[in-house]
Amino acid sequence: MKRALTLAERGAGWVNPNPMVGAVVVKEGRIIGEGYHEFFGGPHAEVNALAGCDEGSAEGATLYITLEPCSHTGKTPPCTDLILRHRIGRVVTAMEDPNPLVAGQGHKRLQEAGIEVVTGILEQQARALNEAFIKFITTGRPWGVLKTAMTLDGKIATVTNASRWITGESSRRIVHRMRGRMNAIMVGINTVLTDDPRLNIRLKGNWKNPLKVIVDTRCRIPLTAAVLTTDPQLTLVATTNLSEPARRKELERLGAQVIVCPEAEGKVDLDYLAGALGQMGIDSLLIEGGSTLAFSALQAGIVDKVVSFVAPRILGGANAPTPVGGPGIETMEKAIELGPMKIKRIGNDLMIEAQLTTH
């Protein structure tokens, strides 16, 4: 199962909004086939694993798979049919598929055909791997990750708004890998005006750039912004009726998408926006900045996890920006609670991860 999970991760960023799935075929203590779901709409992991097996060679074998095999026809035929045709003797899965179209039906069909089914093997690891898929398939809304980078004294920039670079190169590489796993990346208009980011992936190898979502209540984004001059078709500007229709048309002529959202306290309604992104098939959202957007996203309940990088630097400055700004919370009793933290050293920096326990 560990091997199957390792294989599954190779599909990160390419299979969304489908789950990452890996499969390994074992017979007489030897691996005779393995595969993973490689891209959205492509063959499932079971298909790729069994494709390497000669006819009849998988009979009586054990199939290890990180997710319950599907029993319905979607973009591909049911994988349970394929398993039955190959006369697999035993199926071991990490977890039941949370998709309501499957939800135990795949396991049931295999058992009814006389195949031994074992599930729950390394289930926690499998759920962590597909946390975005689980949230999306059960709610129709994207898994939201708030990413911050700050100095030891909690600053994301100097008093003059200089922010490059807070963290080291190793941390920045990890952030680009995070972008590669997500369907979309979100920033506020102030980040665009201050930093003019490209919001793409700048790593060697074959990577799929995410959708760039700019939260811009009044459509103040410059037409020369890097997100519009680099792959404008991958840019979505979320605005409101407070923006000029003519300005919205200009953005669309450049190739960008524009979505007009309702207002929430004079700003883009982020809860509505998250729902709209979910309807577009966006299963995961990386929220990168700035501090006002971070607080608004937390308040709107669209954040499921926080990933924070802390650099061994001190900037000081009472007016230097912090990772989460906005109006703030008035009492400790109303504080946004996080679950147990995972802390990892990345170069000289610390990487801290924690799930939200309240929304």
Side-chain angles (χ1 to χ4, degrees):
M1 191 61 75
K2 285 182 180 179
R3 175 60 181 165
L5 287 166
T6 299
L7 290 167
E9 196 162 8
R10 293 182 184 177
W14 294 99
V15 300
N16 312 55
N18 281 353
M20 290 174 274
V21 184
V24 176
V25 185
V26 177
K27 187 172 183 179
E28 297 175 355
R30 184 173 62 89
I31 292 177
I32 63 171
E34 61 180 32
Y36 66 99
H37 185 31
E38 298 177 10
F39 57 91
F40 178 73
H44 286 188
E46 302 95 313
V47 176
N48 289 329
L50 289 167
C53 300
D54 296 330
E55 174 130 9
S57 66
E59 183 175 356
T62 297
L63 173 66
Y64 293 86
I65 183 165
T66 58
L67 187 70
E68 174 186 8
C70 63
S71 55
H72 67 290
T73 299
K75 291 186 178 297
T76 59
C79 289
T80 49
D81 288 358
L82 180 68
I83 293 170
L84 293 175
R85 283 202 305 273
H86 277 269
R87 298 192 290 277
I88 294 291
R90 182 168 173 256
V91 173
V92 180
T93 67
M95 60 177 285
E96 184 177 288
D97 192 337
N99 185 343
L101 294 175
V102 185
Q105 293 306 305
H107 285 155
K108 182 179 178 182
R109 185 167 181 212
L110 294 174
Q111 289 172 323
E112 288 175 345
I115 295 177
E116 180 188 356
V117 175
V118 178
T119 191
I121 306 302
L122 299 185
E123 181 173 357
Q124 186 176 351
Q125 292 91 320
R127 287 186 171 277
L129 179 69
N130 277 312
E131 53 194 2
F133 169 73
I134 294 170
K135 165 82 179 286
F136 179 73
I137 203 66
T138 55
T139 68
R141 298 169 68 86
W143 170 259
V145 178
L146 173 63
K147 189 278 297 182
T148 65
M150 63 182 178
T151 59
L152 190 60
D153 59 334
K155 306 297 182 182
I156 62 172
T158 68
V159 290
T160 60
N161 266 330
S163 60
R164 295 184 180 176
W165 298 100
I166 293 289
T167 56
E169 186 177 343
S170 296
S171 294
R172 298 199 297 273
R173 279 199 300 268
I174 286 180
V175 171
H176 279 272
R177 291 193 192 104
M178 289 173 62
R179 289 180 178 181
R181 297 178 72 100
M182 309 293 274
N183 256 182
I185 177 173
M186 177 188 285
V187 298
I189 182 57
N190 288 331
T191 295
V192 174
L193 295 174
T194 303
D195 298 336
D196 195 24
R198 285 176 284 173
L199 301 182
N200 57 0
I201 300 171
R202 298 184 293 278
L203 295 172
K204 292 181 180 179
N206 190 22
W207 296 88
K208 182 180 176 184
N209 283 315
L211 178 71
K212 301 168 286 188
V213 180
I214 314 301
V215 180
D216 186 2
T217 303
R218 298 178 182 272
C219 268
R220 293 187 291 144
I221 184 171
L223 299 181
T224 56
V227 291
L228 294 173
T229 58
T230 306
D231 296 328
Q233 73 278 4
L234 284 178
T235 299
L236 183 150
V237 178
T239 188
T240 68
N241 278 320
L242 294 174
S243 63
E244 293 291 334
R247 183 65 166 180
R248 302 198 292 263
K249 289 292 184 184
E250 286 182 313
L251 293 172
E252 289 175 335
R253 277 196 291 270
L254 287 176
Q257 303 174 64
V258 177
I259 179 171
V260 180
C261 303
E263 295 173 47
E265 299 180 359
K267 299 176 182 178
V268 170
D269 185 333
L270 295 181
D271 181 66
Y272 175 90
L273 176 57
L277 291 173
Q279 290 180 354
M280 293 169 57
I282 300 298
D283 72 337
S284 48
L285 180 63
L286 182 63
I287 304 163
E288 283 211 20
S291 62
T292 300
L293 177 65
F295 183 76
S296 297
L298 287 163
Q299 269 201 322
I302 68 169
V303 177
D304 298 286
K305 182 178 183 179
V306 175
V307 178
S308 184
F309 294 86
V310 182
R313 296 180 175 184
I314 293 177
L315 288 175
N319 295 323
T322 57
V324 181
I329 292 171
E330 295 178 354
T331 65
M332 289 299 295
E333 289 74 21
K334 295 180 180 179
I336 297 168
E337 299 290 341
L338 302 178
M341 295 186 298
K342 296 179 182 177
I343 304 174
K344 184 188 299 184
R345 184 167 178 172
I346 309 294
N348 290 327
D349 304 328
L350 292 180
M351 177 181 173
I352 304 170
E353 299 180 71
Q355 309 276 3
L356 265 71
T357 58
T358 59
H359 280 281

